[in-house]
Amino acid sequence: MRVLRILLEKEFRQIFRDPAILRIIFLMPIIQLIVMPLAADYTVKNVKLCVVDYDHSSYSQKLISKITATDYFQLVDYTDSYEKALKYVENDQADLVLQIPSSFEKQVVKEDKATLFMALNAINGVKANLGGAYLRYIIGDFNREVRLEWLQLPRFSPQPTIQISALNWFNPTMNYQIFMVPGILVILVTMVGAFLTALNIVKEKEIGTIEQINVTPIKKYQFILGKLLPFWVLGLMILTIGLVISRIIYGINPVGSILTIYVFAAVYLLAVLGMGLLVSTFANSQQQAMLLSFFIMMIFILLGGLYTSIDSMPEWAQIFTKFNPVAYFIEVMRMVVLKGSTLFDIRVHLATVFLFAIVLNSFAVWNYRKRS
Amino acid sequence: MKQDLAISVSKLTKRFGAFTAVNEITFDVKQGEIFGFLGANGAGKTTAMRMLCGLSFPTSGEATVAGFDLFRDAEKIKKNIGYMSQRFSLYEDLTIRENIRFYGGIYGLTDQQIKTKTDFMVGQLHLQDQINKLVKSLPLGWKQKLSFSVAMLHQPKIVFLDEPTGGVDPVTRREFWTLIYEAAQNGTTVFVTTHYMDEAEYCDRVSIMVDGRIDALDTPIELKRKFNAPSMAEVFVQLARKAQRGE
């Protein structure tokens, strides 16, 4: 054990002596957690709208002012030429064109029926989709108002109306940040764990000190533990910083126990560090290690359920996420933070990630060669 | 194996694919000897040395180092040897004291032993004022002397030095060889590669590798006589000129 202590002593000295690493460890979580959830919001705002009004009636005016009253839309131009409106779309100055036909008011009043035309700039699919949906909703609302004003309602509605009232469990206000912040925290812990471990060991390969270590009677497991433990501690430190930030800035108080999060994180980090270790046994330079880790991380993060729901992925991708530790931690974080899940509830996740840790580390230890 | 042999090598070979880096070399090194391991760049010196240190698996052949079989007991060999590689391999971001503590600790020295060793080394190398400075701030010559002392920290039976004086000024080289002599006098076997032919003259015995083979092995005096050459440099040139493979 003395050898391990000597190794840890040296590792911590080097980490805390390197200002670049310290900056990554402390500034990265702060900046990512403060900036990302605020900037990367799913709610689409500022949809640039161009209205082509052939009607110029009081109703068309009412509709337009109803639309622009929300902060979802920004009126780019009010014109009476569809060609001109399309130019805006082509130049990417407008996302949406709403065309009001010439006899709009008359049709609504006399014929109880009107058609509006909507053209979407679908280069940004998400924006087009959501912008279109908002607009449809507002027009639907406008429609109801008009009918109320003009139609004599029969005592009993000829068509039954079904009202839906919804209640959002676990995140009542559908707060997007409560959903994102725990996920981003997972990414942070993962990146620091995997990247720093891989880079640290490969750096020793690059400068040649690993050879000096390999020529000593040190045991493989001692060397590897000496490398993993410091980053395990750092990973938990980052998690702590992240939890504090999400509490102070976003007021996120996990419904479940903090201890549950730490127990899972402790096991999860072993898996992540094992992955970093494995990368380091394959890479011979820091560039290689960086690119390889980055490649793996990209896949894990994009298929980890942070940005897109795993349930809506194609089946093959869903099968893949079963082998993605990041997906497990994101799910566990959301379960514990939002729903208050206990260790018992996440036992399957915990066991699976533990298995990952064993497999990845065994593979890495096996692949680490003191002798080539 | 004979008791007074530190290293005994027989037909040791290392192949990388179709390329034979070390081709059936056979030699013995006596205990306490300073053994010069010479050869042109690419002749296979470093590969041979890495095999003897247990850093590289031999393809075939036999060898015992410090009384242990190279194939079966490489980890036991490692307790008994010191190694100074061609590349500087102390931690530049640690101080001299921290480096000594780290390597001493890995070899299982106690805190007390480390302290004694540190004091001794610092005195020997006149590093009193530098002891708490980062190693990267030291000039190359001092770094090399420090590396050597760190390789000797656990009092190994054999020390392997791979071009320890490459790029070092003549004064420091002389000082370095004083350290080597001291080590040899204390019974440590020194296995050293070099490109400086004046250093070859300091060795008890010298082997010269050409294209993965050992083409000559004897005392410097004998070699000069055999090749009818005034200096080791002349001997070396005569042999190395026959090399088929480039760098």
Side-chain angles (χ1 to χ4, degrees), chain A residues 83-106:
Chain A
E83 279 68 39
K84 199 176 164 199
L86 219 51
K87 271 272 176 292
Y88 283 113
V89 175
E90 276 168 14
N91 296 335
D92 213 23
Q93 286 164 313
D95 304 310
L96 245 172
V97 176
L98 179 68
Q99 186 184 310
I100 302 172
S102 55
S103 49
F104 177 63
E105 190 175 83
K106 204 157 73 191

PDB file of all heavy atoms in Angstrom, chain A residues 83-106:
ATOM      1  N   GLU A  83     -44.142  37.142 -53.559  1.00  0.00           N
ATOM      2  CA  GLU A  83     -42.786  37.033 -54.116  1.00  0.00           C
ATOM      3  C   GLU A  83     -41.778  37.732 -53.203  1.00  0.00           C
ATOM      4  O   GLU A  83     -40.699  37.223 -52.943  1.00  0.00           O
ATOM      5  CB  GLU A  83     -42.721  37.657 -55.521  1.00  0.00           C
ATOM      6  CG  GLU A  83     -43.230  36.764 -56.635  1.00  0.00           C
ATOM      7  CD  GLU A  83     -44.727  36.537 -56.559  1.00  0.00           C
ATOM      8  OE1 GLU A  83     -45.458  37.501 -56.222  1.00  0.00           O
ATOM      9  OE2 GLU A  83     -45.168  35.386 -56.790  1.00  0.00           O
ATOM     10  N   LYS A  84     -42.206  38.885 -52.723  1.00  0.00           N
ATOM     11  CA  LYS A  84     -41.307  39.645 -51.859  1.00  0.00           C
ATOM     12  C   LYS A  84     -41.054  38.862 -50.559  1.00  0.00           C
ATOM     13  O   LYS A  84     -39.918  38.769 -50.060  1.00  0.00           O
ATOM     14  CB  LYS A  84     -41.939  40.996 -51.549  1.00  0.00           C
ATOM     15  CG  LYS A  84     -40.941  42.019 -51.051  1.00  0.00           C
ATOM     16  CD  LYS A  84     -41.596  43.369 -50.838  1.00  0.00           C
ATOM     17  CE  LYS A  84     -40.725  44.265 -49.988  1.00  0.00           C
ATOM     18  NZ  LYS A  84     -41.513  45.369 -49.412  1.00  0.00           N
ATOM     19  N   ALA A  85     -42.126  38.284 -50.040  1.00  0.00           N
ATOM     20  CA  ALA A  85     -41.993  37.509 -48.806  1.00  0.00           C
ATOM     21  C   ALA A  85     -41.053  36.321 -49.000  1.00  0.00           C
ATOM     22  O   ALA A  85     -40.226  36.008 -48.154  1.00  0.00           O
ATOM     23  CB  ALA A  85     -43.365  37.022 -48.356  1.00  0.00           C
ATOM     24  N   LEU A  86     -41.196  35.686 -50.161  1.00  0.00           N
ATOM     25  CA  LEU A  86     -40.360  34.525 -50.433  1.00  0.00           C
ATOM     26  C   LEU A  86     -38.876  34.909 -50.518  1.00  0.00           C
ATOM     27  O   LEU A  86     -37.995  34.127 -50.163  1.00  0.00           O
ATOM     28  CB  LEU A  86     -40.816  33.871 -51.745  1.00  0.00           C
ATOM     29  CG  LEU A  86     -40.801  32.342 -51.745  1.00  0.00           C
ATOM     30  CD1 LEU A  86     -41.538  31.789 -50.545  1.00  0.00           C
ATOM     31  CD2 LEU A  86     -41.389  31.816 -53.040  1.00  0.00           C
ATOM     32  N   LYS A  87     -38.653  36.147 -51.012  1.00  0.00           N
ATOM     33  CA  LYS A  87     -37.268  36.646 -51.059  1.00  0.00           C
ATOM     34  C   LYS A  87     -36.656  36.670 -49.661  1.00  0.00           C
ATOM     35  O   LYS A  87     -35.492  36.312 -49.463  1.00  0.00           O
ATOM     36  CB  LYS A  87     -37.247  38.073 -51.640  1.00  0.00           C
ATOM     37  CG  LYS A  87     -37.116  38.120 -53.150  1.00  0.00           C
ATOM     38  CD  LYS A  87     -35.627  38.122 -53.551  1.00  0.00           C
ATOM     39  CE  LYS A  87     -35.445  38.073 -55.059  1.00  0.00           C
ATOM     40  NZ  LYS A  87     -35.862  36.780 -55.646  1.00  0.00           N
ATOM     41  N   TYR A  88     -37.501  37.108 -48.691  1.00  0.00           N
ATOM     42  CA  TYR A  88     -37.012  37.136 -47.303  1.00  0.00           C
ATOM     43  C   TYR A  88     -36.596  35.744 -46.851  1.00  0.00           C
ATOM     44  O   TYR A  88     -35.582  35.553 -46.202  1.00  0.00           O
ATOM     45  CB  TYR A  88     -38.103  37.664 -46.363  1.00  0.00           C
ATOM     46  CG  TYR A  88     -38.289  39.162 -46.403  1.00  0.00           C
ATOM     47  CD1 TYR A  88     -39.454  39.724 -46.892  1.00  0.00           C
ATOM     48  CD2 TYR A  88     -37.277  39.995 -45.936  1.00  0.00           C
ATOM     49  CE1 TYR A  88     -39.629  41.100 -46.922  1.00  0.00           C
ATOM     50  CE2 TYR A  88     -37.436  41.374 -45.967  1.00  0.00           C
ATOM     51  CZ  TYR A  88     -38.604  41.924 -46.457  1.00  0.00           C
ATOM     52  OH  TYR A  88     -38.753  43.263 -46.490  1.00  0.00           O
ATOM     53  N   VAL A  89     -37.405  34.771 -47.216  1.00  0.00           N
ATOM     54  CA  VAL A  89     -37.089  33.404 -46.824  1.00  0.00           C
ATOM     55  C   VAL A  89     -35.797  32.960 -47.476  1.00  0.00           C
ATOM     56  O   VAL A  89     -34.916  32.377 -46.843  1.00  0.00           O
ATOM     57  CB  VAL A  89     -38.241  32.446 -47.201  1.00  0.00           C
ATOM     58  CG1 VAL A  89     -37.860  31.009 -46.893  1.00  0.00           C
ATOM     59  CG2 VAL A  89     -39.504  32.831 -46.449  1.00  0.00           C
ATOM     60  N   GLU A  90     -35.685  33.292 -48.769  1.00  0.00           N
ATOM     61  CA  GLU A  90     -34.476  32.886 -49.496  1.00  0.00           C
ATOM     62  C   GLU A  90     -33.236  33.495 -48.878  1.00  0.00           C
ATOM     63  O   GLU A  90     -32.190  32.868 -48.806  1.00  0.00           O
ATOM     64  CB  GLU A  90     -34.588  33.319 -50.970  1.00  0.00           C
ATOM     65  CG  GLU A  90     -35.353  32.306 -51.800  1.00  0.00           C
ATOM     66  CD  GLU A  90     -35.717  32.860 -53.165  1.00  0.00           C
ATOM     67  OE1 GLU A  90     -35.159  33.898 -53.556  1.00  0.00           O
ATOM     68  OE2 GLU A  90     -36.588  32.248 -53.814  1.00  0.00           O
ATOM     69  N   ASN A  91     -33.340  34.742 -48.436  1.00  0.00           N
ATOM     70  CA  ASN A  91     -32.178  35.390 -47.826  1.00  0.00           C
ATOM     71  C   ASN A  91     -32.045  35.066 -46.344  1.00  0.00           C
ATOM     72  O   ASN A  91     -31.251  35.684 -45.644  1.00  0.00           O
ATOM     73  CB  ASN A  91     -32.276  36.902 -48.003  1.00  0.00           C
ATOM     74  CG  ASN A  91     -32.232  37.276 -49.461  1.00  0.00           C
ATOM     75  OD1 ASN A  91     -31.701  36.544 -50.276  1.00  0.00           O
ATOM     76  ND2 ASN A  91     -32.828  38.407 -49.800  1.00  0.00           N
ATOM     77  N   ASP A  92     -32.878  34.153 -45.890  1.00  0.00           N
ATOM     78  CA  ASP A  92     -32.827  33.712 -44.500  1.00  0.00           C
ATOM     79  C   ASP A  92     -33.185  34.827 -43.522  1.00  0.00           C
ATOM     80  O   ASP A  92     -32.746  34.830 -42.384  1.00  0.00           O
ATOM     81  CB  ASP A  92     -31.427  33.160 -44.166  1.00  0.00           C
ATOM     82  CG  ASP A  92     -31.546  32.029 -43.152  1.00  0.00           C
ATOM     83  OD1 ASP A  92     -32.626  31.424 -43.076  1.00  0.00           O
ATOM     84  OD2 ASP A  92     -30.556  31.784 -42.438  1.00  0.00           O
ATOM     85  N   GLN A  93     -33.979  35.798 -44.026  1.00  0.00           N
ATOM     86  CA  GLN A  93     -34.388  36.874 -43.121  1.00  0.00           C
ATOM     87  C   GLN A  93     -35.743  36.558 -42.484  1.00  0.00           C
ATOM     88  O   GLN A  93     -36.160  37.230 -41.555  1.00  0.00           O
ATOM     89  CB  GLN A  93     -34.474  38.201 -43.887  1.00  0.00           C
ATOM     90  CG  GLN A  93     -33.091  38.748 -44.212  1.00  0.00           C
ATOM     91  CD  GLN A  93     -33.147  39.814 -45.268  1.00  0.00           C
ATOM     92  OE1 GLN A  93     -33.802  39.661 -46.302  1.00  0.00           O
ATOM     93  NE2 GLN A  93     -32.458  40.916 -45.029  1.00  0.00           N
ATOM     94  N   ALA A  94     -36.438  35.545 -43.036  1.00  0.00           N
ATOM     95  CA  ALA A  94     -37.720  35.157 -42.464  1.00  0.00           C
ATOM     96  C   ALA A  94     -37.775  33.641 -42.335  1.00  0.00           C
ATOM     97  O   ALA A  94     -37.212  32.918 -43.155  1.00  0.00           O
ATOM     98  CB  ALA A  94     -38.863  35.640 -43.342  1.00  0.00           C
ATOM     99  N   ASP A  95     -38.430  33.169 -41.259  1.00  0.00           N
ATOM    100  CA  ASP A  95     -38.592  31.732 -41.072  1.00  0.00           C
ATOM    101  C   ASP A  95     -39.975  31.278 -41.531  1.00  0.00           C
ATOM    102  O   ASP A  95     -40.175  30.121 -41.834  1.00  0.00           O
ATOM    103  CB  ASP A  95     -38.446  31.372 -39.590  1.00  0.00           C
ATOM    104  CG  ASP A  95     -37.129  31.845 -39.018  1.00  0.00           C
ATOM    105  OD1 ASP A  95     -36.091  31.562 -39.642  1.00  0.00           O
ATOM    106  OD2 ASP A  95     -37.143  32.509 -37.961  1.00  0.00           O
ATOM    107  N   LEU A  96     -40.895  32.205 -41.539  1.00  0.00           N
ATOM    108  CA  LEU A  96     -42.287  31.834 -41.725  1.00  0.00           C
ATOM    109  C   LEU A  96     -42.991  32.896 -42.561  1.00  0.00           C
ATOM    110  O   LEU A  96     -42.798  34.086 -42.346  1.00  0.00           O
ATOM    111  CB  LEU A  96     -42.947  31.812 -40.352  1.00  0.00           C
ATOM    112  CG  LEU A  96     -43.467  30.492 -39.815  1.00  0.00           C
ATOM    113  CD1 LEU A  96     -43.890  30.661 -38.390  1.00  0.00           C
ATOM    114  CD2 LEU A  96     -44.606  29.999 -40.664  1.00  0.00           C
ATOM    115  N   VAL A  97     -43.800  32.434 -43.518  1.00  0.00           N
ATOM    116  CA  VAL A  97     -44.613  33.383 -44.276  1.00  0.00           C
ATOM    117  C   VAL A  97     -46.071  33.030 -44.031  1.00  0.00           C
ATOM    118  O   VAL A  97     -46.466  31.880 -44.162  1.00  0.00           O
ATOM    119  CB  VAL A  97     -44.311  33.305 -45.784  1.00  0.00           C
ATOM    120  CG1 VAL A  97     -45.248  34.228 -46.559  1.00  0.00           C
ATOM    121  CG2 VAL A  97     -42.860  33.647 -46.046  1.00  0.00           C
ATOM    122  N   LEU A  98     -46.847  34.032 -43.643  1.00  0.00           N
ATOM    123  CA  LEU A  98     -48.273  33.811 -43.458  1.00  0.00           C
ATOM    124  C   LEU A  98     -49.003  34.632 -44.516  1.00  0.00           C
ATOM    125  O   LEU A  98     -48.821  35.849 -44.607  1.00  0.00           O
ATOM    126  CB  LEU A  98     -48.702  34.262 -42.059  1.00  0.00           C
ATOM    127  CG  LEU A  98     -50.193  34.099 -41.772  1.00  0.00           C
ATOM    128  CD1 LEU A  98     -50.582  32.637 -41.705  1.00  0.00           C
ATOM    129  CD2 LEU A  98     -50.574  34.815 -40.481  1.00  0.00           C
ATOM    130  N   GLN A  99     -49.778  33.907 -45.316  1.00  0.00           N
ATOM    131  CA  GLN A  99     -50.465  34.619 -46.401  1.00  0.00           C
ATOM    132  C   GLN A  99     -51.953  34.680 -46.088  1.00  0.00           C
ATOM    133  O   GLN A  99     -52.604  33.659 -45.857  1.00  0.00           O
ATOM    134  CB  GLN A  99     -50.208  33.899 -47.718  1.00  0.00           C
ATOM    135  CG  GLN A  99     -50.753  34.645 -48.908  1.00  0.00           C
ATOM    136  CD  GLN A  99     -50.567  33.850 -50.183  1.00  0.00           C
ATOM    137  OE1 GLN A  99     -49.466  33.374 -50.449  1.00  0.00           O
ATOM    138  NE2 GLN A  99     -51.627  33.690 -50.945  1.00  0.00           N
ATOM    139  N   ILE A 100     -52.488  35.907 -46.075  1.00  0.00           N
ATOM    140  CA  ILE A 100     -53.900  36.092 -45.794  1.00  0.00           C
ATOM    141  C   ILE A 100     -54.592  36.402 -47.128  1.00  0.00           C
ATOM    142  O   ILE A 100     -54.260  37.403 -47.775  1.00  0.00           O
ATOM    143  CB  ILE A 100     -54.104  37.245 -44.805  1.00  0.00           C
ATOM    144  CG1 ILE A 100     -53.324  36.937 -43.507  1.00  0.00           C
ATOM    145  CG2 ILE A 100     -55.584  37.455 -44.501  1.00  0.00           C
ATOM    146  CD1 ILE A 100     -53.279  38.074 -42.528  1.00  0.00           C
ATOM    147  N   PRO A 101     -55.528  35.561 -47.572  1.00  0.00           N
ATOM    148  CA  PRO A 101     -56.159  35.760 -48.881  1.00  0.00           C
ATOM    149  C   PRO A 101     -57.037  37.016 -48.907  1.00  0.00           C
ATOM    150  O   PRO A 101     -57.448  37.530 -47.863  1.00  0.00           O
ATOM    151  CB  PRO A 101     -56.995  34.499 -49.068  1.00  0.00           C
ATOM    152  CG  PRO A 101     -57.215  33.990 -47.701  1.00  0.00           C
ATOM    153  CD  PRO A 101     -56.044  34.403 -46.881  1.00  0.00           C
ATOM    154  N   SER A 102     -57.359  37.477 -50.113  1.00  0.00           N
ATOM    155  CA  SER A 102     -57.987  38.793 -50.270  1.00  0.00           C
ATOM    156  C   SER A 102     -59.389  38.864 -49.656  1.00  0.00           C
ATOM    157  O   SER A 102     -59.801  39.901 -49.158  1.00  0.00           O
ATOM    158  CB  SER A 102     -58.037  39.171 -51.751  1.00  0.00           C
ATOM    159  OG  SER A 102     -58.685  38.145 -52.460  1.00  0.00           O
ATOM    160  N   SER A 103     -60.085  37.757 -49.644  1.00  0.00           N
ATOM    161  CA  SER A 103     -61.456  37.845 -49.135  1.00  0.00           C
ATOM    162  C   SER A 103     -61.595  37.199 -47.766  1.00  0.00           C
ATOM    163  O   SER A 103     -62.609  36.620 -47.428  1.00  0.00           O
ATOM    164  CB  SER A 103     -62.405  37.178 -50.139  1.00  0.00           C
ATOM    165  OG  SER A 103     -61.868  35.908 -50.465  1.00  0.00           O
ATOM    166  N   PHE A 104     -60.526  37.331 -46.996  1.00  0.00           N
ATOM    167  CA  PHE A 104     -60.461  36.648 -45.694  1.00  0.00           C
ATOM    168  C   PHE A 104     -61.628  37.040 -44.791  1.00  0.00           C
ATOM    169  O   PHE A 104     -62.381  36.191 -44.315  1.00  0.00           O
ATOM    170  CB  PHE A 104     -59.117  36.980 -45.036  1.00  0.00           C
ATOM    171  CG  PHE A 104     -58.929  36.408 -43.667  1.00  0.00           C
ATOM    172  CD1 PHE A 104     -58.898  35.032 -43.474  1.00  0.00           C
ATOM    173  CD2 PHE A 104     -58.785  37.248 -42.559  1.00  0.00           C
ATOM    174  CE1 PHE A 104     -58.714  34.509 -42.213  1.00  0.00           C
ATOM    175  CE2 PHE A 104     -58.606  36.720 -41.301  1.00  0.00           C
ATOM    176  CZ  PHE A 104     -58.565  35.347 -41.123  1.00  0.00           C
ATOM    177  N   GLU A 105     -61.789  38.353 -44.579  1.00  0.00           N
ATOM    178  CA  GLU A 105     -62.819  38.807 -43.652  1.00  0.00           C
ATOM    179  C   GLU A 105     -64.203  38.378 -44.119  1.00  0.00           C
ATOM    180  O   GLU A 105     -65.030  37.873 -43.371  1.00  0.00           O
ATOM    181  CB  GLU A 105     -62.764  40.319 -43.498  1.00  0.00           C
ATOM    182  CG  GLU A 105     -63.639  40.804 -42.372  1.00  0.00           C
ATOM    183  CD  GLU A 105     -63.470  42.300 -42.155  1.00  0.00           C
ATOM    184  OE1 GLU A 105     -64.122  43.077 -42.872  1.00  0.00           O
ATOM    185  OE2 GLU A 105     -62.666  42.667 -41.292  1.00  0.00           O
ATOM    186  N   LYS A 106     -64.409  38.563 -45.427  1.00  0.00           N
ATOM    187  CA  LYS A 106     -65.714  38.240 -45.983  1.00  0.00           C
ATOM    188  C   LYS A 106     -66.029  36.756 -45.790  1.00  0.00           C
ATOM    189  O   LYS A 106     -67.121  36.374 -45.365  1.00  0.00           O
ATOM    190  CB  LYS A 106     -65.722  38.577 -47.483  1.00  0.00           C
ATOM    191  CG  LYS A 106     -67.113  38.837 -48.034  1.00  0.00           C
ATOM    192  CD  LYS A 106     -67.064  39.684 -49.290  1.00  0.00           C
ATOM    193  CE  LYS A 106     -66.537  38.892 -50.462  1.00  0.00           C
ATOM    194  NZ  LYS A 106     -66.219  39.703 -51.642  1.00  0.00           N
TER     195      LYS A 106
END
